[in-house]
C-alpha cells in the first residue's frame, strides 16, 4: 500500500491533537480547581451584577448585609496586600540563597565542561538549562543581592493594589491579584531574572486551614489557556526542589489537579508572623486553627499585630498589645477590680456582702514585642516579651493618680527547627498545663475569652518560668512536650499559729513552709521547694478537633525543727492529670471547648487559687485533693461579632486533725460556722469547698481598618462559693457581676 505525503501529515496532526487533548484535559482540571478557589471570594461581588432584579427585591436589610460583606472583603484584601508587601523582604533573602546555589552549580558545571564534550552531557541537561539562572557574560561580576533587587522591583507592581471603589472594580482587582500573586512565572532562558518568579510563592494568609495533608499551601498552579501549563508547573517545582533545596514540591490532588506546595521543612516563622494568624511553628489543619489575631482569645494568649512589623538589620520586630479601659459593677464589694478573687467572696457576716461595688481602670493595657532572627534555612530564634500595668505598688491608691505599675506577663526565647520539627522554649510563659487549640505552640493557648482579667473559675492556667522541649510528627498532627517549671506550694494553715512562714505545731516543734522575699523581691511568702514541677503533654490534631492529655508531678517540701534544736526535711511526691479538647461544631463559626484537671497538691493551677496543701500533726505536708473543669461554647457570629457562654468549677478536698482540744487543718468539721449568716459575727471559718461561675458575653469589633481595631466587650457573670460543713452548717454566698471593656488594638 502506498502512502502519500498528505497521509503522513494526517498521522502527525492526529498525534499532535491527541497530545493536545491530554494537555487540555489537565489544563481544564486545573481551571476547575482555580475557579472553585476563587468562587467563594468573588461570590459576594458577582451576585449583584448577575442578578440585578433579585438584588433590587431584597430590600433594605439585604442591602445592609451586602454592604457589610463587601466592606469585610475589602478589609481582608487590604490586610493581604500589606502582608504581601511585607513578604517581599523575606522573598529577597530566599532568592539570594537560591541565586548563590545556582551560581555555585553553574561554576561547577563550567568546570565539568572543560573535561567533558558537549555530547557527554547528561540527559536532564536541557531541563536544567531551561530553568537555571546563568549570568550573562557581561554581568559576571553582578552580585546576587543586585540581581535580587532587580527581581524585586519587577515583582513589586504585582504586590500593589488600590482598594476597590465599587463591586465590579473589587471583583476585577481581586481576581487579578489572586492570579498574579499566586502564580509562578515560567522560566525563560533569555531572561535570567524572570526564572526567579518560579519561586515567587505567596503564603496563604489563612495558614493551613484547607490542607488535609499537613502541608502549608503557598499557592496553586495558575490556570491559563496554554496547554503546557501543567507540565510547566511540574518543571518549575522540580527545578525549585532540585536547585533551591527543599523550596517546594508538587503533588497531584484528589481531582487530578497539580498543586504546588511548600515543603514542611521550609522555615516559615518570618512569613506566618505577618499574617492573620499568629503562630511560629507549622501546624496541621484540625478544623480549629490558630487564633484569629483580632479576637479576645488571641489577645489573652499574646497575639501580635500585622500592622506593626519592621526590620532592623537582620532582625524582624513585630509589635502587639492594646489600650484597655475596663470596669465592673457587682452586688458584692471585693476590692480586686476586674481580676476576680472568688475565694474572697464575703459571707453574710461580712458587711461587704451587703455593699455593691463599681470600679474601673486602664491597668490591663498591654504591650508586647516579638524579636525574630533566622539562624539557618531551617531554624529560627525569637524572643517575646509582654507586659501590662496590673501590679499595685506600695503607694498605689485610687484616690488621686491611680498609679498602677508595670508587671511582667511573659518573657521567653523560642528556638524552632522546621527540618526536624523540634521546638525549645525558655523563660516565663503560659504553663504547659494550659490548654492549647492547635499543636503545642506558644501564644496559641485556649482559655475562656472573657472580659474579666482572671479569665474564669475552674480555668487551668499559670504563667511562670519554664524550659520546654516539644517535638511533632506525622505532618504536625501529633505533638509531645515536656517542661520543667517553677514550683510553688500554696499552704492553708487554718488553726495553726503562723509566724511569717514558721508554723508552731501542737507538739512544740516548728515547721518552716515559706520565707518572705528580700532584696529586690517584695515581702511576699515564697514556699520552700526542692524540685521544679515536671509537666508532660501529648496533643493530637486530626482533621476535626484538637485533643490533649497532660500530667504533672509536684513535690511539696518543708522543714520541721524540734524543741531541742534537731531538724529534718519532709518531701511528698504528688501530682495529677487531665485533658482538653476543642471541637469545631461548625468550622470557623462555633466551637465547643472542654478542659479539666484532677489530682493532689495542684490547686493553685486553677483560676480560683484554692490551696495545694496543709500540714499534719507532725508537720509534714499533706496535699489536698483538687478538681477543676470548664466547658464553653464560642461562636463567631460574624467577622465582627463573637458571642460566648462558659461554665467553670473548682473544688478542693480537706485534711484535718484535732489535738489537745484544738482543731487544725483545712475543712475541719469541728470549725465554728454558726455566725456566717450574722453580720459582724466572727464565728465563721468557712473553708472553701467549691467555687463555680456561669457567664455569658460577647465582643464587637465596631471599627476596623488600616488604623487598627476598636472593640467593645460585655460580660455577665454569676459566681457561687460554698464552704465545707462545720459546726453551724455549710455557708454559701453568691455574686453577680457586669464587666465592660473597651479596647483599641493599633497593630491588628
Amino acid at each position: 500500500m502506498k502512502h502519500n505525503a498528505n497521509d503522513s501529515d494526517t498521522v502527525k496532526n492526529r498525534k499532535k491533537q491527541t497530545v493536545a487533548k491530554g494537555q487540555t484535559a489537565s489544563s481544564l482540571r486545573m481551571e476547575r480547581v482555580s475557579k472553585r478557589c476563587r468562587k467563594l471570594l468573588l461570590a459576594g461581588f458577582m451576585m449583584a451584577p448577575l442578578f440585578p432584579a433579585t438584588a433590587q427585591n431584597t430590600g433594605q436589610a439585604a442591602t445592609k448585609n451586602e454592604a457589610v460583606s463587601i466592606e469585610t472583603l475589602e478589609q481582608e484584601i487590604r490586610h493581604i496586600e500589606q502582608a504581601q508587601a511585607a513578604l517581599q523582604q523575606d522573598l529577597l533573602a530566599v532568592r539570594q540563597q537560591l541565586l548563590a546555589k545556582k551560581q555555585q552549580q553553574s561554576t561547577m558545571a563550567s568546570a565539568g565542561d572543560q573535561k567533558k564534550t558537549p555530547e557527554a552531557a547528561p540527559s536532564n541537561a536541557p531541563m536544567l538549562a531551561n530553568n537555571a539562572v546563568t549570568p550573562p557574560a557581561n554581568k559576571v561580576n553582578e552580585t546576587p543581592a543586585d540581581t535580587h533587587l532587580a527581581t524585586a522591583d519587577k515583582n513589586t507592581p504585582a504586590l500593589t493594589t488600590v482598594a476597590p471603589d465599587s463591586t465590579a472594580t473589587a471583583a476585577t482587582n481581586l481576581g487579578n491579584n489572586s492570579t498574579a500573586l499566586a502564580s509562578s512565572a515560567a522560566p525563560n532562558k533569555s531572561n535570567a531574572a524572570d526564572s526567579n518568579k518560579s519561586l515567587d510563592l505567596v503564603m496563604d494568609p489563612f495558614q493551613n486551614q484547607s490542607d488535609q495533608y499537613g502541608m502549608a499551601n503557598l499557592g496553586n498552579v495558575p490556570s491559563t489557556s496554554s496547554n503546557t501549563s501543567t507540565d510547566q508547573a511540574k518543571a518549575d517545582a522540580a527545578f525549585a526542589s532540585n536547585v533551591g533545596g527543599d523550596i517546594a514540591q508538587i503533588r497531584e490532588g484528589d481531582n487530578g489537579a497539580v498543586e504546588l506546595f511548600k515543603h514542611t521543612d521550609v522555615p516559615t516563622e518570618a512569613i506566618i508572623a505577618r499574617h492573620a494568624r499568629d503562630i511560629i511553628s507549622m501546624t496541621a489543619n484540625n478544623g480549629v486553627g490558630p487564633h484569629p489575631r483580632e479576637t479576645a482569645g488571641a489577645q489573652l494568649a499574646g497575639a501580635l499585630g500585622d500592622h506593626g512589623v519592621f526590620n532592623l538589620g537582620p532582625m524582624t520586630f513585630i509589635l502587639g498589645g492594646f489600650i484597655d479601659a475596663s470596669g465592673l459593677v457587682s452586688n458584692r464589694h471585693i476590692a480586686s477590680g476586674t481580676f476576680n478573687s472568688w475565694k474572697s467572696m464575703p459571707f453574710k457576716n461580712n458587711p461587704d456582702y451587703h455593699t455593691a461595688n463599681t470600679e474601673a481602670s486602664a491597668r490591663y493595657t498591654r504591650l508586647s514585642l516579638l524579636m525574630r532572627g533566622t539562624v539557618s534555612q531551617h531554624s529560627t530564634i525569637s524572643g517575646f516579651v509582654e507586659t501590662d500595668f496590673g501590679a499595685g505598688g506600695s503607694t498605689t491608691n485610687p484616690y488621686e493618680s491611680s498609679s498602677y505599675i508595670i508587671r511582667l506577663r511573659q518573657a521567653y526565647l523560642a528556638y524552632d527547627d522546621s527540618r526536624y520539627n523540634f521546638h525549645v522554649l525558655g523563660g516565663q510563659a503560659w504553663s504547659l498545663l494550659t490548654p492549647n487549640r492547635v499543636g503545642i505552640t506558644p501564644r496559641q493557648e485556649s482559655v475562656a475569652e472573657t472580659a474579666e482579667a482572671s479569665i474564669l473559675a475552674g480555668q487551668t492556667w499559670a504563667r511562670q518560668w519554664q524550659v520546654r522541649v516539644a517535638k511533632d510528627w506525622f505532618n504536625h498532627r501529633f505533638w509531645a512536650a515536656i517542661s520543667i517549671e517553677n514550683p510553688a506550694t500554696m499552704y492553708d494553715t487554718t488553726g495553726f499559729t503562723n509566724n511569717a512562714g514558721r508554723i508552731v505545731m501542737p507538739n512544740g516543734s516548728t515547721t518552716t513552709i515559706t520565707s518572705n522575699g528580700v532584696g529586690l523581691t517584695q515581702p511576699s511568702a515564697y514556699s520552700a521547694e526542692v524540685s521544679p514541677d515536671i509537666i508532660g503533654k501529648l496533643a493530637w490534631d486530626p482533621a476535626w478537633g484538637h485533643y490533649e492529655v497532660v500530667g504533672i508531678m509536684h513535690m511539696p517540701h518543708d522543714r520541721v525543727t524540734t524543741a531541742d534544736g534537731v531538724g529534718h526535711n519532709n518531701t511528698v511526691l504528688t501530682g495529677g492529670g487531665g485533658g482538653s479538647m476543642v471541637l469545631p461544631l461548625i468550622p470557623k463559626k462555633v466551637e465547643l471547648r472542654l478542659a479539666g484537671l484532677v489530682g493532689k497538691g495542684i490547686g493553685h493551677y486553677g483560676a480560683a487559687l484554692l490551696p495545694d496543701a496543709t500540714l499534719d500533726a507532725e508537720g509534714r505536708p499533706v496535699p489536698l485533693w483538687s478538681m477543676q473543669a470548664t466547658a464553653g461554647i464560642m461562636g463567631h457570629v460574624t467577622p465582627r461579632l463573637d458571642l460566648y457562654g462558659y461554665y467553670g468549677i473548682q473544688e478542693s478536698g480537706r485534711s484535718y486533725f484535732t489535738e489537745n482540744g484544738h482543731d487544725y487543718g483545712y475543712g475541719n468539721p469541728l470549725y465554728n460556722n454558726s455566725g456566717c449568716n450574722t453580720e459582724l459575727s466572727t464565728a465563721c471559718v468557712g473553708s472553701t469547698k467549691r467555687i463555680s461561675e456561669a457567664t455569658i458575653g460577647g465582643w464587637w469589633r465596631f471599627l476596623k481598618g488600616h488604623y487598627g481595631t476598636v472593640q467593645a466587650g460585655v460580660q455577665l457573670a454569676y459566681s457561687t462559693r460554698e464552704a465545707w460543713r462545720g459546726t453551724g452548717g455549710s455557708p454559701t454566698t453568691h455574686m453577680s457581676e457586669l464587666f465592660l471593656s473597651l479596647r483599641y488594638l493599633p497593630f491588628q
Side-chain angles (χ1 to χ4, degrees):
M1 183 179 293
K2 296 182 180 180
H3 297 279
N4 55 29
N6 293 333
D7 293 337
S8 178
D9 293 340
T10 301
V11 172
K12 292 180 180 179
N13 291 334
R14 288 178 179 176
K15 291 182 179 180
K16 291 181 179 180
Q17 291 175 1
T18 301
V19 174
K21 287 180 180 179
Q23 294 174 345
T24 302
S26 299
S27 178
L28 290 174
R29 285 197 298 267
M30 293 181 58
E31 288 178 357
R32 287 195 294 269
V33 173
S34 179
K35 288 179 181 179
R36 290 171 187 169
C37 295
R38 294 193 297 263
K39 188 176 297 182
L40 292 177
L41 291 176
L42 297 178
F45 300 108
M46 294 174 63
M47 291 300 293
L50 292 179
F51 303 99
T54 303
Q56 294 176 359
N57 296 331
T58 53
Q60 183 177 2
T63 302
K64 291 182 179 180
N65 292 336
E66 180 179 326
V68 172
S69 177
I70 293 174
E71 180 184 3
T72 300
L73 290 173
E74 288 177 348
Q75 291 174 353
E76 291 299 329
I77 291 174
R78 287 194 292 270
H79 288 170
I80 293 173
E81 290 169 357
Q82 294 170 359
Q84 289 166 345
L87 278 173
Q88 194 66 25
Q89 296 180 358
D90 291 328
L91 191 60
L92 290 176
V94 176
R95 285 193 178 130
Q96 186 173 4
Q97 295 178 4
L98 176 64
L99 287 175
K101 287 188 176 183
K102 288 190 290 188
Q103 288 182 350
Q104 181 181 4
Q105 184 184 32
S106 178
T107 302
M108 295 175 62
S110 299
D113 289 342
Q114 297 177 1
K115 300 180 181 180
K116 298 179 180 180
T117 61
E119 290 76 12
S123 59
N124 62 347
M127 184 193 72
L128 293 177
N130 290 334
N131 290 281
V133 178
T134 304
N138 59 346
K139 294 185 179 181
V140 173
N141 295 328
E142 185 180 37
T143 63
D146 295 335
T147 306
H148 249 345
L149 294 175
T151 306
D153 293 338
K154 293 182 179 181
N155 291 338
T156 301
L159 297 171
T160 305
T161 356
V162 179
D165 296 329
S166 65
T167 301
T169 305
T172 303
N173 289 347
L174 181 59
N176 293 339
N177 291 337
S178 299
T179 303
L181 294 173
S183 303
S184 54
N188 192 329
K189 290 186 293 184
S190 62
N191 191 341
D194 289 344
S195 67
N196 292 332
K197 295 181 182 179
S198 63
L199 297 179
D200 191 7
L201 309 177
V202 180
M203 175 77 73
D204 180 1
F206 302 97
Q207 168 76 5
N208 292 320
Q209 295 305 300
S210 60
D211 180 15
Q212 60 180 325
Y213 300 104
M215 303 177 64
N217 187 354
L218 288 177
N220 292 331
V221 176
S223 175
T224 66
S225 59
S226 172
N227 293 335
T228 61
S229 59
T230 301
D231 295 336
Q232 185 61 58
K234 290 182 178 180
D236 291 347
F239 166 70
S241 180
N242 293 334
V243 180
D246 287 341
I247 294 297
Q249 70 176 30
I250 60 172
R251 73 161 186 249
E252 187 171 353
D254 297 335
N255 58 359
V258 176
E259 299 171 322
L260 185 59
F261 282 83
K262 183 181 64 57
H263 194 275
T264 54
D265 285 344
V266 176
T268 58
E269 186 272 339
I271 298 175
I272 299 175
R274 293 194 174 103
H275 283 280
R277 283 167 171 69
D278 176 29
I279 59 177
I280 288 181
S281 304
M282 298 181 67
T283 56
N285 175 29
N286 60 3
V288 179
H291 285 293
R293 70 168 72 244
E294 70 275 7
T295 62
Q299 298 157 28
L300 187 59
L304 299 166
D306 52 359
H307 296 170
V309 182
F310 60 95
N311 294 293
L312 183 61
M315 300 296 296
T316 298
F317 296 82
I318 308 173
L319 298 174
F322 52 84
I323 305 299
D324 177 77
S326 59
L328 84 158
V329 178
S330 67
N331 64 340
R332 309 281 185 256
H333 186 196
I334 303 176
S336 61
T338 57
F339 192 96
N340 224 334
S341 179
W342 292 278
K343 64 182 182 181
S344 301
M345 291 167 55
F347 294 114
K348 292 181 180 180
N349 67 313
N350 191 330
D352 290 338
Y353 176 90
H354 309 278
T355 305
N357 182 42
T358 300
E359 186 176 349
S361 74
R363 62 193 297 187
Y364 295 108
T365 293
R366 196 168 304 165
L367 303 173
S368 59
L369 171 67
L370 177 73
M371 301 153 284
R372 190 268 309 161
T374 299
V375 178
S376 67
Q377 181 183 6
H378 302 286
S379 60
T380 59
I381 190 167
S382 59
F384 179 74
V385 61
E386 181 183 50
T387 64
D388 65 14
F389 301 86
S394 58
T395 60
T396 298
N397 63 75
Y399 300 109
E400 188 173 35
S401 63
S402 299
S403 301
Y404 296 98
I405 60 178
I406 194 168
R407 68 169 183 168
L408 183 66
R409 286 175 58 89
Q410 299 187 75
Y412 59 82
L413 62 90
Y415 173 81
D416 293 274
D417 190 307
S418 60
R419 178 183 291 275
Y420 301 106
N421 297 322
F422 180 74
H423 319 278
V424 179
L425 181 147
Q428 180 168 311
W430 291 89
S431 170
L432 189 60
L433 276 182
T434 310
N436 290 90
R437 61 182 287 116
V438 58
I440 303 177
T441 58
R443 301 189 303 283
Q444 291 303 321
E445 290 77 17
S446 176
V447 294
E449 302 182 12
T450 57
E452 60 180 308
S454 49
I455 308 177
L456 175 72
Q459 178 70 62
T460 299
W461 72 275
R463 288 191 303 270
Q464 57 195 18
W465 176 93
Q466 61 188 276
V467 174
R468 178 194 305 179
V469 178
K471 178 78 169 68
D472 64 90
W473 297 268
F474 310 118
N475 290 325
H476 320 293
R477 296 206 175 274
F478 183 76
W479 294 68
I482 188 170
S483 177
I484 58 171
E485 305 194 8
N486 188 63
T489 303
M490 183 177 293
Y491 287 93
D492 181 89
T493 58
T494 303
F496 298 95
T497 301
N498 188 345
N499 297 317
R502 294 183 177 179
I503 313 301
V504 178
M505 305 304 298
N507 59 8
S509 62
T510 299
T511 300
T512 303
I513 57 174
T514 63
S515 296
N516 287 338
V518 296
L520 298 179
T521 305
Q522 285 286 339
S524 300
Y526 286 77
S527 59
E529 303 292 342
V530 69
S531 172
D533 289 352
I534 301 176
I535 302 173
K537 177 184 284 189
L538 300 176
W540 181 40
D541 288 310
W544 192 79
H546 175 79
Y547 308 87
E548 294 181 353
V549 292
V550 64
I552 178 175
M553 184 178 70
H554 177 59
M555 289 179 279
H557 177 77
D558 69 7
R559 181 169 180 82
V560 176
T561 307
T562 62
D564 56 3
V566 178
H568 63 277
N569 297 330
N570 297 304
T571 302
V572 179
L573 179 62
T574 186
S580 66
M581 62 181 67
V582 182
L583 305 178
L585 301 182
I586 303 177
K588 312 299 174 58
K589 288 294 185 180
V590 180
E591 296 175 2
L592 173 63
R593 304 179 183 180
L594 303 172
L597 183 70
V598 63
K600 287 187 175 182
I602 54 176
H604 80 277
Y605 280 101
L609 288 175
L610 296 183
D612 298 315
T614 185
L615 301 174
D616 65 11
E618 303 298 325
R620 291 183 295 265
V622 179
L624 296 173
W625 178 85
S626 176
M627 183 278 293
Q628 56 215 40
T630 59
I633 292 285
M634 184 70 196
H636 305 288
V637 181
T638 72
R640 290 175 176 254
L641 179 64
D642 296 334
L643 299 178
Y644 59 80
Y646 290 100
Y647 177 78
I649 185 171
Q650 183 169 353
E651 292 189 7
S652 177
R654 58 180 177 175
S655 178
Y656 52 87
F657 66 94
T658 299
E659 189 168 324
N660 300 327
H662 295 279
D663 304 319
Y664 303 91
Y666 189 76
N668 195 316
L670 298 180
Y671 283 154
N672 189 357
N673 292 334
S674 60
C676 290
N677 294 324
T678 303
E679 192 168 353
L680 293 181
S681 173
T682 59
C684 183
V685 176
S687 300
T688 301
K689 175 184 180 181
R690 181 185 300 114
I691 289 175
S692 61
E693 179 183 15
T695 184
I696 57 173
W699 293 95
W700 177 36
R701 292 174 285 278
F702 59 90
L703 289 177
K704 185 174 175 63
H706 64 276
Y707 45 80
T709 300
V710 182
Q711 67 180 20
V714 60
Q715 176 192 353
L716 181 63
Y718 182 78
S719 303
T720 301
R721 176 191 174 196
E722 304 173 54
W724 280 105
R725 178 172 295 277
T727 302
S730 53
T732 301
T733 185
H734 308 275
M735 178 171 63
S736 298
E737 297 169 290
L738 175 65
F739 296 87
L740 301 172
S741 178
L742 182 64
R743 294 179 180 178
Y744 171 46
L745 293 76
F747 308 115
Q748 289 141 324

